[in-house]
Amino acid sequence: MTKALYIGYFTGVAGQSIGLFYIGDGVLAGVDVATMQYDGSYSTKPDGSLEGVVEYVLPAGTALITGAPTGVAPTRVVVKLNLPADFSDGRVINIETPLGPVNARFEKIKDILS
């Protein structure tokens, strides 16, 4: 998979969000408008899909797009991630998180050259 920057548009039952992500060389890293930082890894399967894990920390008292309440202290969340090959083709992808489902759509912004 080519290293690239992606913009992610996210929708849940209680709102919307947007984030910027680097995906390449088995690394997934990003940040969203709620200041959550994402850190993950993935492997590319033979069919071109991506399978991995991403972690992020929810700041205390943050309003979540899933509508789930946050705690009084920062909380680490781990999400298994499965993205189809060509995940940035405009399709909506359902991501199941421990705090509820999120619909995501990704657009490639720019390839990153080595």
Side-chain angles (χ1 to χ4, degrees):
M1 158 163 219
T2 306
K3 298 180 281 189
L5 289 178
Y6 296 87
I7 190 164
Y9 302 95
F10 306 102
T11 304
V13 297
Q16 301 175 17
S17 187
I18 190 170
L20 180 65
F21 297 89
Y22 166 83
I23 301 175
D25 289 338
V27 173
L28 186 152
V31 64
D32 69 16
V33 295
T35 70
M36 287 189 274
Q37 295 180 16
Y38 298 82
D39 182 24
S41 62
Y42 70 89
S43 60
T44 304
K45 296 172 71 174
D47 65 359
S49 64
L50 306 181
E51 182 177 79
V53 175
V54 65
E55 296 183 16
Y56 54 95
V57 175
L58 296 174
T62 301
L64 301 178
I65 65 172
T66 61
T70 56
V72 295
T75 304
R76 180 167 299 281
V77 178
V78 178
V79 177
K80 290 183 180 180
L81 192 62
N82 290 294
L83 296 175
D86 302 327
F87 65 91
S88 63
D89 64 1
R91 74 180 86 183
V92 174
I93 300 164
N94 181 266
I95 299 173
E96 292 294 331
T97 80
L99 301 168
V102 172
N103 290 320
R105 185 174 57 81
F106 294 92
E107 291 179 19
K108 184 186 286 188
I109 296 174
K110 182 173 181 66
D111 287 327
I112 305 293
L113 302 176
S114 298

